[in-house]
Amino acid sequence: MDEHGLKIQQAAAAAGTSPAELCERISGLFRQALSQAGVSYTDFIRTSEPRHQRAVRHFWGVLGHAGGSYEGWYCTPEESFLPESQLAERTDSQGRPCKVSLESGHQVHWTKEENYMFRLSAFRDPLQNWLRDNPRAICPDPFHQCVLRWLDEDLPDLSVSRERSRLHWGVPVPGDPSQTIYVWVDALVNYLSVLGYPEGHGAWWPAVHHVVGKDILKFHALYWPALLLAAGLEPPERILVHSHWTVRGQKMSKSLGNVVEPGVCVGQYGVDGFRYFLLRQGVPERDCDYYDEKVVKLVNSELADALGGLLNRSTAPSINPSNTYPRFSEACFPKVLDCREAKGTGRACAEDYELVAAMASLPAQVDGYFQGFQIYKALECIAQCVRQTNGFFQRHRPWKLDRRDAGEQLWLDTILHVTLECLRVFGTLLQPVVPHMADKLLSRLAVGPGERGLSGLAFLARYDGKPCPFEGRQLGPDTGILFHRLGKSETVKKRKQEAQVPDKQLL
């Protein structure tokens, strides 16, 4: 939690409370939001904590800086001085001309102060070398290229303190009570203080990944690496950058009344439904648009119908009366080296072998996309394989097979075995995205807690002549529909309006 700064100080004054009390309340809302969304964490650190402030004071002590006068256009919401190139002319609410930030639209004010300065320009070459030697240091690539362009422009010295008479809500400069450490220097050190800086950070640093919004890229990709180099530390291993959500093509704004409330969405779509939509539709390198109808259509189609329907049909008592993980028959589904060889004595066709090939490569494909911060592509691959599996099940119509015929029974069991194997892989791969639903799916298939890891995830072992530990196993209890279909968008809108949310939580 980045809790210091002038905007927090001003917000607290406007609310008739102290900055500390305001931050205590807001941090509680963030904890609540994380809990609602099923997001786990190993630590929750606030910049107002003593352990962090100790780290900030030490970091300040090893930085090189000098005093000087600084003046320019200051944007309080962004806590940053902005050059003329990042400003636009507008009129304020009274019709008077004013300057605003091009990025955020917030008004800026001319400010002149006596501050400590950091020679950012001295780190142009080291930063360029770092980025060119590490082409994946900033992902996705468009943001990497953006930072390289910034480094070709002027790099003015950075003001790293503020007059304490104007900003008292922050960490005082050691040895100079008239100054407060610049809020971004304070906040960025949080990445070190959470690791036990200055003593215990070495176990992790610099093998860390930061996940940041595109609007604060400059602070993380220019200022932070330069400050680290000045302090004798390496830049982080990777900076993963995401874009924003718009609502029906417009930026979220309280004045427009189009702010999306995550707490309401979780209540309406379920934790898994809302998580799935955001991760399936969220493309890091560009802004993505949100509206209720899109959520309903996507989640119903891919979770309720395609995945949930497949599980229900393949485990139904009429199809699988023994409620077991059926056996696979090599005679019905013999191994071939090429899909074009899919003929002969077996019952499987060329499309079935294409499914097996797609499923066999899916875990590595998904892992690669996750590692590359392209979660939406991973989910796209999974959704495609779910569609292929539904096609396989529908194509062979197991409900039409005659159980009294031994050959038909073998083929029925094989169809179900392949389908359940696909479902097991889907459930395993979807655990980070839809944890509750994935657990329900895997429990229905009787996949134990120690059998749900990505490492060693083997699909259709019997096809390769290896034993399958699930074959013949009794399935888990039927706990009902995997994911309930969402209502129509009109119902969604009505229930959202009726929902009681204690505090505004911006998405």
Side-chain angles (χ1 to χ4, degrees):
M1 294 289 294
D2 173 11
E3 297 188 340
H4 290 139
L6 188 59
K7 63 180 177 182
I8 304 296
Q9 183 176 299
Q10 291 177 347
T17 187
S18 69
E21 289 170 335
L22 177 68
C23 291
E24 181 68 25
R25 183 176 67 83
I26 298 298
S27 67
L29 292 178
F30 271 92
R31 286 178 185 267
Q32 178 185 329
L34 292 171
S35 177
Q36 281 183 317
V39 177
S40 60
Y41 49 87
T42 50
D43 204 333
F44 188 104
I45 188 166
R46 302 166 55 188
T47 59
S48 56
E49 293 182 29
R51 59 171 169 160
H52 170 69
Q53 296 188 30
R54 173 177 172 270
V56 171
R57 288 191 293 268
H58 186 277
F59 191 84
W60 178 272
V62 296
L63 278 183
H65 43 67
S69 178
Y70 193 90
E71 59 182 315
W73 294 103
Y74 191 76
C75 180
T76 299
E78 295 179 30
E79 296 284 11
S80 176
F81 281 100
L82 301 178
E84 289 283 349
S85 60
Q86 295 178 24
L87 302 177
E89 297 284 348
R90 297 284 190 274
T91 55
D92 62 19
S93 56
Q94 279 78 43
R96 297 171 300 194
C98 66
K99 290 182 180 288
V100 300
S101 165
L102 274 175
E103 173 67 31
S104 66
H106 293 298
Q107 190 171 350
V108 298
H109 302 278
W110 188 261
T111 304
K112 182 176 182 179
E113 291 185 343
E114 290 292 326
N115 301 142
Y116 287 96
M117 307 299 296
F118 174 74
R119 287 196 61 214
L120 182 63
S121 57
F123 293 90
R124 182 195 305 274
D125 290 344
L127 290 176
Q128 288 177 328
N129 293 336
W130 165 57
L131 291 177
R132 286 170 181 154
D133 292 344
N134 299 277
R136 299 186 68 205
I138 302 172
C139 292
D141 185 65
F143 297 113
H144 188 103
Q145 299 303 321
C146 176
V147 177
L148 284 174
R149 289 194 297 272
W150 285 339
L151 285 168
D152 287 333
E153 301 171 358
D154 290 336
L155 285 182
D157 290 347
L158 179 66
S159 170
V160 290
S161 72
R162 298 289 181 267
E163 292 180 351
R164 198 154 183 83
S165 59
R166 194 165 72 92
L167 173 60
H168 59 79
W169 179 238
V171 182
V173 168
D176 188 349
S178 70
Q179 295 280 308
T180 298
I181 295 175
Y182 176 40
V183 64
W184 270 106
V185 175
D186 171 0
L188 290 164
V189 174
N190 217 339
Y191 294 120
L192 289 172
S193 56
V194 76
L195 301 178
Y197 180 84
E199 296 89 12
H201 64 286
W204 284 90
W205 199 269
V208 297
H209 294 181
H210 297 338
V211 182
V212 304
K214 67 176 185 178
D215 54 323
I216 52 175
L217 176 61
K218 180 170 286 188
F219 300 98
H220 283 82
L222 283 185
Y223 301 165
W224 180 223
L227 291 166
L228 287 166
L229 291 170
L233 296 168
E234 295 181 51
E237 186 175 287
R238 295 187 80 188
I239 299 173
L240 305 171
V241 189
H242 63 80
S243 298
H244 296 159
W245 282 97
T246 58
V247 176
R248 298 187 182 277
Q250 291 184 300
K251 187 175 181 178
M252 285 192 209
S253 165
K254 289 182 180 179
S255 60
L256 291 175
N258 66 346
V259 173
V260 176
E261 304 284 0
V264 174
C265 293
V266 167
Q268 180 57 45
Y269 309 128
V271 175
D272 286 340
F274 193 44
R275 286 169 62 112
Y276 185 82
F277 172 79
L278 294 177
L279 293 169
R280 175 77 165 88
Q281 293 287 299
V283 180
E285 52 261 53
R286 66 174 183 269
D287 289 352
C288 299
D289 203 36
Y290 174 95
Y291 51 91
D292 295 326
E293 295 87 347
K294 185 191 287 190
V295 184
V296 172
K297 183 178 180 180
L298 176 78
V299 172
N300 280 347
S301 171
E302 297 191 357
L303 295 188
D305 298 342
L307 190 59
L310 183 63
L311 177 65
N312 289 341
R313 291 201 294 167
S314 59
T315 57
S318 59
I319 291 286
N320 188 355
S322 63
N323 196 42
T324 59
Y325 214 100
R327 297 187 178 279
F328 178 86
S329 169
E330 291 92 339
C332 293
F333 210 130
K335 184 171 183 177
V336 298
L337 299 178
D338 192 306
C339 290
R340 290 169 293 184
E341 302 173 13
K343 55 186 177 179
T345 58
R347 301 283 296 261
C349 64
E351 290 90 346
D352 303 336
Y353 287 97
E354 289 171 4
L355 169 65
V356 170
M359 289 299 303
S361 63
L362 184 63
Q365 204 172 18
V366 168
D367 184 41
Y369 282 134
F370 266 68
Q371 296 296 338
F373 197 49
Q374 294 177 306
I375 300 171
Y376 72 102
K377 287 189 176 182
L379 297 183
E380 188 177 308
C381 291
I382 294 173
Q384 173 60 27
C385 284
V386 172
R387 286 192 290 271
Q388 282 184 266
T389 310
N390 270 295
F392 165 78
F393 195 85
Q394 187 68 27
R395 183 163 55 247
H396 296 297
R397 303 188 177 194
W399 58 90
K400 294 283 189 180
L401 297 175
D402 186 356
R403 296 177 183 281
R404 293 169 295 183
D405 182 294
E408 295 278 275
Q409 180 67 60
L410 277 179
W411 180 225
L412 170 61
D413 287 348
T414 301
I415 293 170
L416 294 181
H417 183 95
V418 172
T419 302
L420 297 188
E421 277 289 273
C422 291
L423 283 165
R424 180 175 64 84
V425 172
F426 299 147
T428 301
L429 298 178
L430 286 169
Q431 288 176 107
V433 179
V434 285
H436 302 96
M437 197 180 80
D439 174 67
K440 188 174 182 179
L441 191 161
L442 294 173
S443 296
R444 180 71 176 102
L445 300 181
V447 181
E451 300 170 316
R452 300 182 178 188
L454 180 62
S455 176
L457 177 62
F459 168 71
L460 206 59
R462 284 291 301 276
Y463 179 76
D464 291 314
K466 300 174 183 177
C468 173
F470 306 99
E471 196 173 58
R473 185 182 296 187
Q474 194 73 24
L475 295 180
D478 183 0
T479 54
I481 295 173
L482 183 65
F483 189 91
H484 289 273
R485 282 182 60 84
L486 300 175
K488 294 181 179 179
S489 58
E490 292 79 8
T491 305
V492 170
K493 187 179 295 185
K494 182 179 178 182
R495 290 181 63 180
K496 286 181 72 175
Q497 290 172 345
E498 293 172 349
Q500 297 297 313
V501 182
D503 284 281
K504 298 287 184 183
Q505 297 171 21
L506 295 183
L507 179 62

